[in-house]
Amino acid sequence: MGVLPRGMWLLFRGNFERKLALLGVDAPEDLMARAKGKYREIIESVEPFGKEDAFEINIVSAAVCLSLPERPKAGAVERYYAAAMDSRATRLFLKRSDYYTAKYQNRLARSAEASRRSVNPYSWRFAFVPGPSLDSFDAVFTHCGICHLFKRLDIQDLTPALCAYDFAMAERTGTIFTRKFTLAGGGPHCDCHYQKRTAGSGRRP
């Protein structure tokens, strides 16, 4: 297992373990020991992916779900994943993120352009659509690495549980987040709209 996946496991393992009671786990240390082996197995089975892809975090959740004695319900996984991801590291990262700057959106545009040249099924392909000002933009995803992975692992019904966390992330970044479709839900794409939250801001129609 490489340095980055190992570091991601160490960073998130504790919170993923502490929140296992939400999935009815009585022996969280034992389950995480099994999940670590599954995590390594998944990491070694996928193609190398982009350095900006948040793929390892989602592999942690897949490893946990595959290590449970019974297949969990999507609603339980949604609650568990939201709680497990709400770590000090995540909150600090999101607090320091500023989506509504030229620097951030220029970098996102470059990432979007590069993603459309990728043929790696475990990555993401998307288009960046700037808004009328820096206070809004869209990211339209046409391929999702996690959808591909979870389908291969036969846990595709759990993918929407991870997608739901996008709304909690948006709250942490002062964003009103909306979308009509998701790939995980069978839609043609994920049409993610980001609007900076201001005193008078409301939801997009």
Side-chain angles (χ1 to χ4, degrees), residues 20-84:
L20 279 170
L22 294 172
L23 293 176
V25 176
D26 296 326
E29 291 185 6
D30 293 344
L31 188 132
M32 288 305 289
R34 295 195 299 273
K36 184 177 182 179
K38 181 60 68 173
Y39 179 75
R40 181 183 292 109
E41 179 184 316
I42 297 171
I43 287 286
E44 292 174 352
S45 72
V46 303
E47 300 172 27
F49 40 86
K51 63 180 181 180
E52 295 184 2
D53 289 346
F55 197 61
E56 300 96 332
I57 305 173
N58 294 298
I59 294 179
V60 174
S61 62
V64 168
C65 290
L66 290 170
S67 301
L68 292 167
E70 297 182 2
R71 192 186 190 97
K73 299 292 186 182
V77 174
E78 180 178 331
R79 292 187 292 273
Y80 167 71
Y81 185 71

Side-chain angles (χ1 to χ4, degrees), residues 105-205:
Q105 293 183 26
N106 287 339
R107 186 171 73 246
L108 189 62
R110 291 194 298 270
S111 295
E113 184 178 355
S115 78
R116 294 196 296 276
R117 297 193 295 268
S118 174
V119 295
N120 187 341
Y122 296 102
S123 191
W124 282 259
R125 290 192 283 278
F126 70 102
F128 169 76
V129 183
S133 73
L134 289 174
D135 286 350
S136 69
F137 63 89
D138 290 83
V140 182
F141 292 82
T142 56
H143 180 82
C144 171
I146 293 305
C147 285
H148 179 81
L149 173 69
F150 276 41
K151 183 176 182 179
R152 181 173 72 80
L153 297 175
D154 195 30
I155 54 173
Q156 60 268 28
D157 57 306
L158 302 180
T159 314
L162 277 62
C163 300
Y165 185 62
D166 291 341
F167 292 91
M169 291 178 63
E171 287 293 326
R172 292 282 185 184
T173 59
T175 293
I176 297 172
F177 177 76
T178 56
R179 65 184 170 209
K180 293 181 179 179
F181 304 104
T182 63
L183 292 165
H189 48 240
C190 300
D191 55 339
C192 303
H193 178 74
Y194 299 81
Q195 175 70 53
K196 185 176 183 179
R197 186 180 295 280
T198 61
S201 61
R203 289 189 175 276
R204 182 180 61 164

